[in-house]
Structures are given as C-alpha cells and as structure tokens.
C-alpha cells in the first residue's frame, strides 16, 4: 500500500493557488480527434439529446457558414420559462417548458404540430430517438414522472410514476432510457415499455443527466460525489468526492462532459472539476467567484487546443485549458450565468440569467460575435443549417445572413 500510495503521489503532485484552485500537472490526458459533421440531409438530421452527444460535450461541428451574423426567421413565445434547450429530429423541434408542456413545432416556420401537458412542473430537456420522445417531470399527477410519446402525434406510448421528482434530462442508448431523480435513484428503463431494468442509489439527489462513454455512466449528486457506474448493470466502478474539507462541501447540479479521458463538471462550491474517467482521481479544480451550476462544453479550439467552456454565478464566462485547468480567456458578462454553453462550429453560445441576454463568442478569442436581448439558461441548438435560440420564454429560429 505504501508503494501504491507513493506512485499515486508521483503522478498527482499538485500545486494550489491562493484562490483555492488545485492543479495536478502530470495527470493523465488522452488526446482525441475533433468530431466531424454527420453527413445527413437536413430533414433527416437529429439533435437527439441534451448536450447533443451521449458524452455531453455540447459541441456541434457545424459547417463554416453557420456563424453570425444571423437573420431572424421566426419566433414562438410559449408563455412559460424555458430553462432547457429543445431537441431536433427531422423537421420537428421538441421544446419542454417549465410548465411541463411539451411542444412539437416546425423548425422551418415555428408552427405547432402538437402539444401535450405532462404535469405541472418540469426542468429538463426531452430526448428524441426514432419515433419516440422521452421526457421527465418534476411534478405530475402523482409526483415525479417519466413519459414516452409518439413523435408524430404526441400520444402517450407509456408513462411511469416515480418515487420522487425528476429533473434529469433523459439519455437514450441501445433501447434503454437513463435518468436520475431527487431521492438519488438513477434508473435504466426499457425504452419500449418503461420497464425497470435496474436502479442505482446515490447518496444525494441526481439532477444532472447521466453521461455515457464506453459503456460507463458518469454523474454527480447533491452529496458532492461523482460516480461512474455500468450502463449495462448499474454496478458502481468508482465514487469520488469533491475534495471534502480541502475543497468545501458543494453539490453537483452540473451535467458532466466526458472527453480526453476526463470527467468535467461544475460545483456549487464555485469550482470546476476534472476527474480521471478511469478511476475518479482529481486532475484539477479551478475556483471561480460563485456557484457553478453550468455544464461544460468541450472542443479542440484552433490556436488554444483542447478547451472547456462554462459560466459562473460570478458573471464570468470561462475558457479553461482542458489539460491543465488554467484560464485561456474569460469574458465578463456582468450578470450571473446559471445555464450551460453550447459550441456550434467556432462560436460558443451562453445566456446571462442576470441580464436575460444571449451571447456568442469566438471559441479561440472570446470576442463577441453574437448578441441577442433574450435568454436565461441554455440557449442554442442547430441542425447544421440554422441556429435555434431559446430565450426566456420564446424560441427563435435564425439563419446565417
């Protein structure tokens, strides 16, 4: 044990700065290729999940022409707070509002195809796979609920009441639906009928969407722990805290992004964390000035390399070196940033909750490329042709000029 401990210390020697950040400069880092744009016709395109990919990197490799400036094509006001972005399949956009009403609308015109009330309160993004749309609900007729709807009609295919509320955006893979709930239960359900395949019990509420990479699900919880479990069986591989007394006792609301052999996520103790995806070792932790509810977006940015992007309640939007954790650049939005960023091409979009404003910044420079006077949380998705911006209560379709 002494020999193993010595080896671990050799790999994870760290330095701590005065702000409470921790850096392990020799921690493992796995280079990756930047994803390419999927070669699909626009009307067969799918943005199926919260964060676009199952790794929740929140990076969409849009063609070069999908960049600001934009012209407004259409807008639709839903009359309720929109905390989470929509998903896309074909010509349908599915937007779930905080009033637990899901709308299926035309991505070409904003016209409503159908809408369904799933409960009285929701705070998550739906998922769309094949002819089925999946959504979680905080408050339904009997409390928390997960439901599967028909893509074309909105008819309920199956519904399951839950033992507690759920605001974890569902992730769908290989016929299974994965999500967490406020009593700490993570579920794997059969996507065809809602049958429970397995459950896992965390030590605190799981409000994030589980993130999937190589058969492993990653998520943080409200006890301040991050864990990795088998997507096949629910068996735990590792469980790691946010550092205990050394780093504080914050909670993880942030959905993790998994890339470069690491798990990246924010914490309410004000830090952004990077853990080794294989064993849960802390690679670095960077202190911001306030809560970090946001989920990180990750890509290999020209000129600055692998970078993660997210904002803090301190009103600052950060671009952090994915390997070291050091700040590549930052932008002072002046308000408070609660929601998560999305990278579309070479522009990263985020919303300032304090000012209800959406920004698009150059991923390599932090220079403002887009500014729009609406937005509060997670603002942007794209189909590779247009960009769709979620404002405070409205959805906007934009085309490049």
């Amino acid at each position: 044990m002494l020999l193993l401990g010595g080896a671990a210390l050799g790999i994870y020697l760290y330095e701590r700065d005065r702000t409470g950040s921790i850096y392990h400069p020799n921690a493992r880092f796995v280079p990756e290729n930047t994803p390419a744009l999927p070669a699909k016709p626009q009307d067969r395109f799918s943005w199926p999940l919260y964060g676009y990919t199952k790794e929740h990197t929140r990076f969409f490799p849009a063609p070069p022409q999908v960049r600001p400036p934009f012209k407004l094509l259409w807008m639709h006001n839903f009359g309720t707070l929109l905390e989470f972005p929509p998903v896309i399949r074909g010509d349908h956009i599915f937007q779930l509002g905080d009033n637990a009403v899901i709308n299926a609308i035309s991505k070409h015109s904003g016209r409503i195809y159908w809408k369904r009330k799933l409960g009285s309160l929701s705070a998550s993004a739906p998922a769309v796979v094949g002819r089925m749309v999946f959504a979680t609900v905080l408050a339904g007729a009997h409390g928390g609920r997960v439901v599967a709807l028909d893509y074309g009609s909105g008819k309920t295919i199956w519904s399951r009441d839950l033992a507690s509320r759920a605001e974890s955006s569902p992730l769908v893979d290989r016929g299974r639906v994965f999500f967490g709930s406020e009593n700490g239960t993570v579920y794997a359900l059969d996507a065809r009928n809602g049958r429970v395949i397995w459950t896992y019990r965390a030590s605190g509420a799981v409000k994030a969407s589980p993130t999937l990479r190589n058969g492993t699900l990653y998520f943080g919880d409200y006890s301040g722990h991050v864990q990795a479990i088998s997507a096949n069986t629910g068996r735990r591989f590792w469980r790691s805290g946010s550092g205990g007394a050394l780093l504080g006792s914050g909670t993880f609301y942030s959905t993790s992004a998994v890339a470069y052999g690491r798990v990246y996520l924010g914490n309410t103790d004000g830090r952004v964390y990077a853990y080794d995806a294989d064993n849960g070792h802390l690679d670095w932790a960077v202190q911001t000035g306030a809560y970090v509810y946001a989920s990180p977006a990750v890509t290999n940015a020209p000129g600055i390399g692998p970078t993660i992007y997210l904002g803090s309640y301190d009103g600052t939007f950060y671009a952090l070196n994915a390997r070291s954790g050091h700040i590549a650049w930052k932008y002072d939005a002046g308000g408070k940033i609660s929601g998560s960023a999305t990278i579309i091409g070479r522009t990263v979009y985020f919303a300032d909750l304090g000012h209800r404003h959406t920004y698009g910044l150059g991923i390599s420079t932090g220079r403002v490329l887009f500014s729009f006077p609406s937005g509060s949380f997670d603002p942007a998705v794209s189909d590779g042709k247009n960009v769709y911006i979620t404002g405070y209560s409205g959805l906007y379709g934009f085309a490049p000029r």
Side-chain angles (χ1 to χ4, degrees):
M1 289 183 67
L2 287 174
L3 288 174
L4 289 172
L9 285 173
I11 296 172
Y12 286 89
L13 288 172
Y14 65 83
E15 53 178 305
R16 213 178 334 163
D17 68 23
R18 288 176 296 177
T19 65
S21 298
I22 289 180
Y23 304 105
H24 293 149
N26 298 318
R28 186 177 71 102
F29 187 82
V30 182
E32 295 180 358
N33 294 324
T34 302
L37 180 69
K40 293 183 180 179
Q42 293 305 314
D43 281 342
R44 294 178 58 194
F45 175 83
S46 178
W47 186 300
L49 306 165
Y50 177 64
Y52 181 56
T53 65
K54 296 169 187 177
E55 294 85 2
H56 288 138
T57 56
R58 312 182 65 82
F59 168 66
F60 176 63
Q65 64 270 23
V66 183
R67 64 179 188 271
F70 297 118
K71 60 183 178 182
L72 180 64
L73 297 176
W74 55 260
M75 72 86 60
H76 187 94
N77 194 305
F78 296 98
T80 187
L81 179 63
L82 304 178
E83 287 192 58
F84 281 80
V87 291
I88 306 171
R89 181 170 173 79
D91 63 351
H92 284 47
I93 295 179
F94 299 93
Q95 178 76 65
L96 179 61
D98 274 26
N99 60 356
V101 174
I102 187 168
N103 288 267
I105 69 176
S106 167
K107 73 177 185 181
H108 302 299
S109 67
R111 179 176 64 88
I112 293 180
Y113 292 126
W114 54 259
K115 62 181 179 179
R116 296 289 181 271
K117 189 164 181 62
L118 307 180
S120 58
L121 181 65
S122 191
S124 58
V128 55
V129 177
R131 299 291 299 180
M132 298 178 75
V133 183
F134 304 89
T136 56
V137 177
L138 277 162
H142 304 98
R145 183 188 185 204
V146 58
V147 61
L149 307 171
D150 179 77
Y151 172 97
S153 67
K155 180 181 177 180
T156 298
I157 298 172
W158 57 258
S159 175
R160 173 173 288 278
D161 292 334
L162 304 172
S164 69
R165 308 193 318 166
E167 58 179 299
S168 170
S169 299
L171 182 145
V172 185
D173 179 70
R174 299 184 182 183
R176 296 183 176 188
V177 183
F178 304 98
F179 61 94
S181 66
E182 286 192 349
N183 71 358
T185 303
V186 175
Y187 293 87
L189 304 184
D190 189 318
R192 297 169 300 176
N193 52 30
R195 177 180 64 87
V196 176
I197 298 172
W198 56 254
T199 61
Y200 170 87
R201 194 64 176 265
S203 300
V206 178
K207 299 195 177 188
S209 177
T211 300
L212 179 65
R213 179 78 181 251
N214 296 331
T216 301
L217 295 169
Y218 301 89
F219 52 90
D221 65 33
Y222 263 41
S223 73
H225 295 92
V226 178
Q227 40 242 290
I229 67 174
S230 167
N232 187 41
T233 65
R235 181 175 65 88
R236 188 170 73 199
F237 295 135
W238 56 258
R239 178 174 180 262
S240 181
S242 55
L246 176 63
L247 296 182
S249 55
T251 60
F252 288 107
Y253 177 86
S254 172
T255 290
S256 61
V258 179
Y260 308 115
R262 295 179 175 183
V263 183
Y264 301 99
L265 69 174
N267 190 283
T268 60
D269 67 5
R271 292 173 177 85
V272 183
Y273 287 87
Y275 292 98
D276 188 289
D278 282 354
N279 53 38
H281 288 164
L282 179 65
D283 289 339
W284 51 256
V286 174
Q287 178 72 61
T288 73
Y291 298 143
V292 182
Y293 284 109
S295 307
V298 187
T299 194
N300 192 345
I304 60 174
T307 307
I308 72 168
Y309 303 84
L310 79 176
S312 166
Y313 259 69
D314 66 6
T316 302
F317 188 79
Y318 295 87
L320 304 175
N321 183 293
R323 180 191 293 269
S324 68
H326 292 293
I327 297 173
W329 55 256
K330 58 184 178 179
Y331 176 80
D332 182 8
K336 53 187 177 183
I337 303 169
S338 179
S340 306
T342 301
I343 305 163
I344 297 174
R346 295 191 176 183
T347 305
V348 57
Y349 298 86
F350 73 95
D352 180 340
L353 175 63
H355 294 153
R356 296 188 184 179
H357 203 97
T358 298
Y359 296 94
L361 309 180
I363 59 174
S364 299
T365 64
R367 183 168 65 89
V368 177
L369 305 176
F370 175 80
S371 179
F372 185 65
S374 184
S376 295
F377 295 97
D378 292 65
V381 297
S382 175
D383 62 358
K385 180 181 179 181
N386 298 323
V387 172
Y388 306 96
I389 299 292
T390 300
Y392 182 79
S393 60
L395 183 64
Y396 304 82
F398 286 96
R401 288 191 184 276

